[in-house]
Amino acid sequence: MSAPVTLSPMIDQLQLGSSELQPKTETDVAASFGKALADARGLEKQATDAAERFANGDPSMGIHEVIIATEKASIAVRYATTLKNKAVEAYRELMNTQV
Amino acid sequence: MDFFTAMEVSASGLSAERTRMNVAASNLANAQTTQAAGGGPYKRKDVVLSAVDVPGAAGEPFAQAVRGVAVSQITQDAAPPRLEYDPGHPQANAQGYVAYPNVNPVEEMVDMITASRAYEAGVTSMTTAVNMAERALGIGR
C-alpha cells in the first residue's frame, strides 16, 4: 500500500514541451492503481474465505478474525477508489487547461 | 502494510484473550470435577503467552521491534488438589477424602475480568488503527 501517486513528473514534462511527453508516468499511475486493486482483490478474497470458514464451523476462525478481514478489505477497496478518484481528478484538471 | 500491521498485532491479542477466556471458562466449569482424563481430579489450566513475529510486517521500519502475541502453551497448575471429607462419595479414598480440583472460582473470575478488559483494549486499539487508516484516506477528499 505504499505505491505513491506522483503526477509531478507529468507536469514537469508538460513544462519541458509536449513533444517530450511520454506515456511512462501514466503507466506509473496505472501500475500503482493496479497494485492497489490487486491488493483489494486479494484482501476481499481473504475476507470471503474467512466468512465462509466461519460459517462452516472452522474452529480456528473466530468472529474477530472475520470482522478484521472484512475491515481490511474495506480499507483496501477504499484506498483503490481514492487512488482512482485522484487520478481521474488530476486528468480532468489537466484536460481543463485553458489553451 | 502500514496500519494493517497494527491490526494484525491487535488481532493476535484478541485471539490470545479468547484462548484465555476459554481456559478460564474451562477451569470454572470443572471446579468440582473429580474425575478427569488420566485419573484424579481436574487440574487448573493456565495459558503461557509469548511474543511472536507479525505476519506481513517484514520490510517495515522496526519490524523486529513490533511483536504480536500468541499462546505458546497451556500449562497445568501443579498445586495439590483440595481434599474434602466425604466418605459416601464414589471417588473417596481409603481415609474418606475426596480430591477436588485446585481451582479457586474467585481467582478464575479475576482472570476472566482481566481477559475481558484486555479484549476490550485490543478492540480499542484495532478501532483506533482503522480510524487512523480512514483519516489517512480522508486527506485527499
Side-chain angles (χ1 to χ4, degrees):
Chain A
M1 277 252 179
S2 57
V5 191
T6 49
L7 287 167
S8 51
M10 207 191 244
I11 295 160
D12 287 348
Q13 283 180 342
L14 281 176
Q15 284 167 347
L16 283 172
S18 55
S19 62
E20 284 291 302
L21 197 63
Q22 288 163 356
K24 185 182 159 286
T25 45
E26 275 180 50
T27 52
D28 275 354
V29 174
S32 57
F33 178 56
K35 195 189 171 300
L37 262 190
D39 281 352
R41 174 88 189 93
L43 284 166
E44 185 137 41
K45 203 177 155 349
Q46 276 176 29
T48 318
D49 282 352
E52 211 166 272
R53 280 171 58 193
F54 180 70
N56 285 330
D58 186 335
S60 70
M61 192 52 72
I63 306 171
H64 64 259
E65 272 124 355
V66 181
I67 303 293
I68 289 163
T70 318
E71 200 61 51
K72 273 185 183 173
S74 155
I75 291 175
V77 169
R78 279 161 65 183
Y79 172 69
T81 318
T82 311
L83 221 56
K84 186 265 301 173
N85 286 345
K86 279 281 138 197
V88 171
E89 199 182 298
Y91 172 75
R92 289 225 177 99
E93 202 71 48
L94 288 176
M95 291 313 278
N96 287 336
T97 312
Q98 294 289 323
V99 281
Chain B
M1 277 202 282
D2 51 62
F3 291 114
F4 284 2
T5 306
M7 291 175 74
E8 287 290 351
V9 173
S10 307
S12 70
L14 293 185
S15 298
E17 293 310 327
R18 180 190 52 193
T19 309
R20 260 176 85 186
M21 178 64 218
N22 288 348
V23 168
S26 155
N27 287 342
L28 265 183
N30 285 295
Q32 304 291 328
T33 305
T34 52
Q35 203 169 25
Y42 174 87
K43 289 192 179 63
R44 182 177 170 273
K45 307 283 187 290
D46 219 343
V47 294
V48 179
L49 301 176
S50 59
V52 294
D53 285 336
V54 187
E60 273 200 19
F62 308 112
Q64 284 310 303
V66 178
R67 312 293 283 164
V69 65
V71 175
S72 57
Q73 58 170 322
I74 292 179
T75 55
Q76 283 198 343
D77 196 330
R82 181 165 48 87
L83 292 174
E84 229 169 74
Y85 187 66
D86 185 2
H89 197 286
Q91 253 91 46
N93 64 8
Q95 285 78 42
Y97 282 95
V98 183
Y100 278 101
N102 51 359
V103 175
N104 179 359
V106 179
E107 222 172 86
E108 297 312 316
M109 290 306 288
V110 173
D111 268 3
M112 241 159 58
I113 294 169
T114 317
S116 159
R117 291 288 177 243
Y119 195 91
E120 267 178 48
V123 169
T124 305
S125 71
M126 166 78 61
T127 319
T128 310
V130 171
N131 282 343
M132 280 168 81
E134 276 171 2
R135 291 277 164 220
L137 283 176
I139 290 172
R141 215 162 282 157

